[in-house]
Amino acid sequence: MKIQERITLHSQFSVNALEMRFKTVWLVVLLVESMFYGCNSKPVVLTGDELIHINRFDSALFVWIDSDDSVALKKVENDYPQMFDILGKALFETRSEDASVFYDNLINYYSEPTLKALYRDAVTRFSADSAAFVGIRNELSFGFMQMKRLFASMQIPDVYLHVSGLQQNVIVADNLISCSIDKYMGADYPLYRDFFYDYQRKNMNPERVAKDCLNVWLKSEFPYKGKNNVLLDRMIYEGKIIYLLTQTGYDYNYQNLTSQTDKEYEWLLDYEKTLWTTIIERKHLYTPDMATTSKYFQPSPSTFISNEAPGNPGYFIGYRIVEKYMKKTKSSCEELMKNGDAQDILKKSEYKP
């Protein structure tokens, strides 16, 4: 099974205590019955019958890790055959052909005391009857239903939960998506304070799980085809994804999709014109420069623009352009995603902050 490489939106860090690497990605609690409007569509109501099933690989694997019982291992193998292969590639980059070696590696990895304690906390926090788990299931059910309404041919994935040991937030393989719940224990979870900055921890709450999953699935369905080193291409692509998310989630908007505080969001609104002028005057919009382009999509404060500027200004400008484009052209979401010409979208948006 081929695992698609995840698009990471945060920096990678080394954690000596756990001897692990971090990757941070993007990601609310939703009521089951809600109405939604957008993308030239009619309101839709989600009923209880439309709740998705979430496969609890995380819990099943922990039973084996905690007991080292061969019967428990056999049950996990039978119930979740895909996930062992996926997890092996995600954690160790490859899975040993020798099953006994692989299982030894896996149980040794998860038996590290700090990680095992984190694992136990995670399966407890996200138990089947917890508000956190119920909220995630409801929100994902609604979000995937909206995606199917907007894109009739879109395949809706099987959803799993796992524990990565603070590695990938979300992994995708074929028609499967799995979220690493140990990355969403809450901003104040003690272990996080040792290894993550404040601007990272605000994205590590249970309310972010559904957003991350929906975001990553959209990016796997609509992979980036622009030039990585050209700011306009990247801004328009990220703006498209955020716009689609506003059309799929209940009460989703730019601010809660990007976890920006009121102060940060107000700064972007107040200085939108200045930000756009800065991009143009510094010739950042079209000049192919990976280092410069990347700065606009970092979660840390954008001090290269202003000491007060929040992180990720590229997402904001991209979203504002796409939002204007959709209002001006009355395009459907399918039409938006078929238009791969970033310059055409900018021109037709008549974006003038």
Side-chain angles (χ1 to χ4, degrees), residues 109-213:
Y109 176 77
Y110 284 114
S111 294
E112 193 280 329
T114 303
L115 175 51
K116 190 170 183 179
L118 170 63
Y119 203 140
R120 189 183 303 276
D121 288 348
V123 295
T124 300
R125 177 71 186 271
F126 294 93
S127 62
D129 59 351
S130 67
F133 174 77
V134 172
I136 291 166
R137 183 187 60 187
N138 292 346
E139 191 175 350
L140 282 175
S141 298
F142 187 84
F144 280 126
M145 185 184 71
Q146 300 299 342
M147 284 188 188
K148 189 67 175 178
R149 176 180 57 80
L150 297 174
F151 304 98
S153 61
M154 180 180 286
Q155 193 174 28
I156 302 305
D158 293 328
V159 179
Y160 290 74
L161 298 181
H162 71 282
V163 168
S164 68
L166 300 179
Q167 295 199 49
Q168 302 89 351
N169 288 43
V170 181
I171 55 178
V172 173
D174 295 343
N175 189 37
L176 180 156
I177 189 166
S178 186
C179 181
S180 183
I181 56 173
D182 53 312
K183 296 295 292 287
Y184 302 94
M185 294 293 291
D188 294 328
Y189 185 68
L191 186 63
Y192 293 170
R193 290 182 173 275
D194 294 333
F195 304 116
F196 296 99
Y197 294 109
D198 290 347
Y199 67 81
Q200 295 172 304
R201 296 204 313 271
K202 69 180 182 179
N203 292 302
M204 302 178 74
N205 292 299
E207 294 80 13
R208 297 293 310 173
V209 172
K211 287 192 183 73
D212 270 5
C213 287

Side-chain angles (χ1 to χ4, degrees), residues 27-42:
L27 212 177
V28 137
V29 176
L30 167 71
L31 297 176
V32 180
E33 294 189 2
S34 304
M35 296 187 71
F36 169 85
Y37 299 83
C39 268
N40 306 325
S41 59
K42 296 180 179 180

Side-chain angles (χ1 to χ4, degrees), residues 47-100:
T47 67
D49 293 338
E50 294 166 309
L51 290 173
I52 62 171
H53 174 69
I54 297 181
N55 298 279
R56 297 306 304 264
F57 174 73
D58 60 312
S59 301
L61 187 65
F62 187 71
V63 171
W64 169 58
I65 292 167
D66 202 34
S67 64
D68 196 14
D69 179 68
S70 59
V71 175
L73 173 59
K74 191 65 176 178
K75 179 172 175 55
V76 184
E77 285 183 309
N78 291 336
D79 292 348
Y80 306 100
Q82 289 178 299
M83 284 300 295
F84 272 119
D85 190 45
I86 293 169
L87 197 61
K89 292 176 180 177
L91 297 182
F92 312 126
E93 297 185 356
T94 184
R95 173 176 172 173
S96 171
E97 295 297 327
D98 187 329
S100 63

Side-chain angles (χ1 to χ4, degrees), residues 310-324:
N312 297 315
Y315 293 101
F316 176 73
I317 295 296
Y319 171 71
R320 297 288 276 184
I321 294 171
V322 171
E323 185 181 40
K324 292 282 188 182

Side-chain angles (χ1 to χ4, degrees), residues 250-263:
Y250 174 74
D251 199 29
Y252 280 7
N253 56 52
Y254 177 82
Q255 186 178 357
N256 61 38
L257 284 167
T258 55
S259 293
Q260 290 193 315
T261 65
D262 290 342
K263 182 179 180 180

